[in-house]
Amino acid sequence: MTEPAPASAPASASASGSASAPAPAPAPVSARTPASAPYGSYDAVVVGGGHNGLVAAAYLARAGRRVLVLERLGNTGGAAVSTRPFPGVDVRLSRYSYLVSLLPDKIVRDLGLRFAVRKRSVSSYTPYADSGLLVGGGEDRTRASFAALTGSDREYEAWQTFYGRTARAARRIFPTLTEPLPSREGLRALVDDDETWDMLFEQPIGVAVEKHFADDLVRGVVLTDALIGTFADAHDPSLLQNRCFLYHVIGGGTGDWDVPVGGMGALTDALADAARAAGATVLTGHEVTRIETDGTRAEVAYRTADGEGVVGAGHVLVNASPQALAGLLGEPAPAPAEGAQLKVNMVLTRLPRLRDRAVDPREAFAGTFHIAEGYGQLAAAHAEAAAGRLPSAPPSEIYCHTLTDPSILGPEAAARGYHTLTLFGLHAPARLFAADPDGARDALLEATLDQLDACLDEPIADCLARDADGRPCVEAKSPLDLERDLRLPGGHIFHRDLSFPYGEGPGGSWGVETSRPNVLLCGAGAVRGGGVSGVPGHNAAMAVLERLAG
């Protein structure tokens, strides 16, 4: 038997200047105690200590509410963590999520987070033959790189026009993510550009890509933002690819993807510190097993290594998938999600030499390094995966954290010039791994690294560091691995298919509401969820405070 410790941190000033009193200690509850037994009570219990749950807890605690966070794992952070996965190698890898774009500065400021990001010096590099398309390093250089690929300035000018449209939309849409949900028509009026609206919200993104660009490689580079973690074709009528594309180009109002200083774990550590400093109690090793509510008060049952217990709450905020939420409430689960990516982490003793001798590897790997991501290649890989086969030329992209932020390297690794590479493979739906999880993952990893080797002047295997047992520092995670490790349904990194950032029909004003008035979804599966953003956590906290004020 166990119970959460009382919220006994010193009283903290709320947003209105008042102080928050400590929550009473929950009374011990045995595994056989009926749900109606006396229990300790909090204004809000947050289920799950991922980054969104910590954002919600920090906002509520700063507003003077008594808050308890219950996290199943032995650490907070969920998928936004830094770890040392290779024995004897002192490198803190952002293991599951890599870059930051969707985290609003508002949340960083509001919560006083000691957290920073750095801009990458190059946007992207895409190899072809013995050359490559470099986007970044100055306007003149980017223009020249487009001209070398296509023979004219046409594609570069089309690039400027296309991303000028998305940038204007980003400046208008991104601030709405931390406001009450706009209606579809309200958001359309805000965008105030019918052509841009149609390209993002009405027609498959493939229509706009083919209209604006003629070169296959350029088309592919554009399309990749529509496919990260999303299994769809450029012309999928569901517009799943459009939703994915939208969230990849609106972050921060610019669409930039930045490197978190200290690794992704630095963000969740800062959030946990902020929540605790505000007076929230954050407990790890506490797995929530059931939520019962009458819409006004709730009971949250949990278990630990020592036993089971129950705690009371006015509101429950669930930082887990919609499927997990349904299970906790005893309701039918929504349609299953399916992840579609391969994640690979590597530590290198040096960056590999490129076949393209005109570009320094430190430049090529400083941004997003695209592999087998031409427009035709992406379509072929999708067709193969849809037919139940591993793609023969798997598309992927690579990020090198250490070129922008070497602080994740321990002293010895830094002195030796080590680097990290994190690879995100596309069009790898969970169904492909069902029959032989390990065999399929290993085969896909081999094929993916073969595609990388085709761009290099030496095998990537020759550059891999070795761990304390002499094994190469490379690990791969399929969707099934992510489901097992993090309980992501089907390994889906967004918990479920992304939604457009507006309200559709009747429903809550913040996109986090559920069928139970005092139970809210504050994870990536909320409307305007997905990615490392903190937006669902912020919005769930705002919904609670709005309800309490009303």
Side-chain angles (χ1 to χ4, degrees), residues 176-238:
T176 71
L177 298 189
T178 50
E179 298 172 353
L181 269 174
S183 66
R184 178 184 173 90
E185 288 310 310
L187 191 64
R188 180 169 189 157
L190 190 64
V191 171
D192 192 28
D193 182 327
D194 288 344
E195 184 174 347
T196 299
W197 177 269
D198 287 346
M199 126 179 155
L200 294 175
F201 293 91
E202 302 287 352
Q203 301 174 336
I205 193 66
V207 173
V209 172
E210 293 172 14
K211 175 183 176 182
H212 283 80
F213 305 102
D215 184 81
D216 182 88
L217 194 73
V218 175
R219 286 177 171 181
V221 172
V222 176
L223 183 62
T224 55
D225 279 339
L227 304 178
I228 298 293
T230 299
F231 188 57
D233 180 73
H235 291 277
D236 195 312
S238 72

Side-chain angles (χ1 to χ4, degrees), residues 292-386:
E292 291 188 4
T293 179
D294 61 5
T296 302
R297 298 290 303 169
E299 290 181 346
V300 180
Y302 60 89
R303 63 175 166 237
T304 72
D306 300 320
E308 300 185 353
V310 174
V311 66
H315 289 82
V316 183
L317 291 76
V318 179
N319 181 27
S321 68
Q323 284 84 356
L325 171 62
L328 293 173
L329 291 172
E331 297 180 344
E338 183 183 36
Q341 67 286 316
L342 180 74
K343 286 179 174 277
V344 182
N345 295 313
M346 294 174 270
V347 177
L348 310 182
T349 58
R350 67 181 188 279
L351 292 175
R353 297 187 302 271
L354 300 173
R355 290 179 62 185
D356 180 1
R357 300 300 178 86
V359 175
D360 188 320
R362 297 181 61 86
E363 234 181 357
F365 286 102
T368 300
F369 190 108
H370 296 278
I371 305 163
E373 289 190 329
Y375 199 65
Q377 289 174 304
L378 290 168
H382 179 269
E384 287 179 294

Side-chain angles (χ1 to χ4, degrees), residues 355-447:
R355 290 179 62 185
D356 180 1
R357 300 300 178 86
V359 175
D360 188 320
R362 297 181 61 86
E363 234 181 357
F365 286 102
T368 300
F369 190 108
H370 296 278
I371 305 163
E373 289 190 329
Y375 199 65
Q377 289 174 304
L378 290 168
H382 179 269
E384 287 179 294
R389 303 189 301 273
L390 292 173
S392 54
S396 63
E397 44 202 57
I398 284 180
Y399 320 106
C400 180
H401 188 120
T402 44
L403 284 170
T404 304
D405 169 39
S407 72
I408 65 171
L409 298 170
E412 183 178 353
R416 291 183 174 185
Y418 279 20
H419 282 289
T420 64
L421 289 185
T422 47
L423 180 149
F424 195 111
L426 280 60
H427 291 332
R431 71 191 79 161
L432 300 182
F433 303 89
D436 182 8
D438 293 342
R441 182 193 59 229
D442 293 347
L444 186 59
L445 172 62
E446 181 179 1

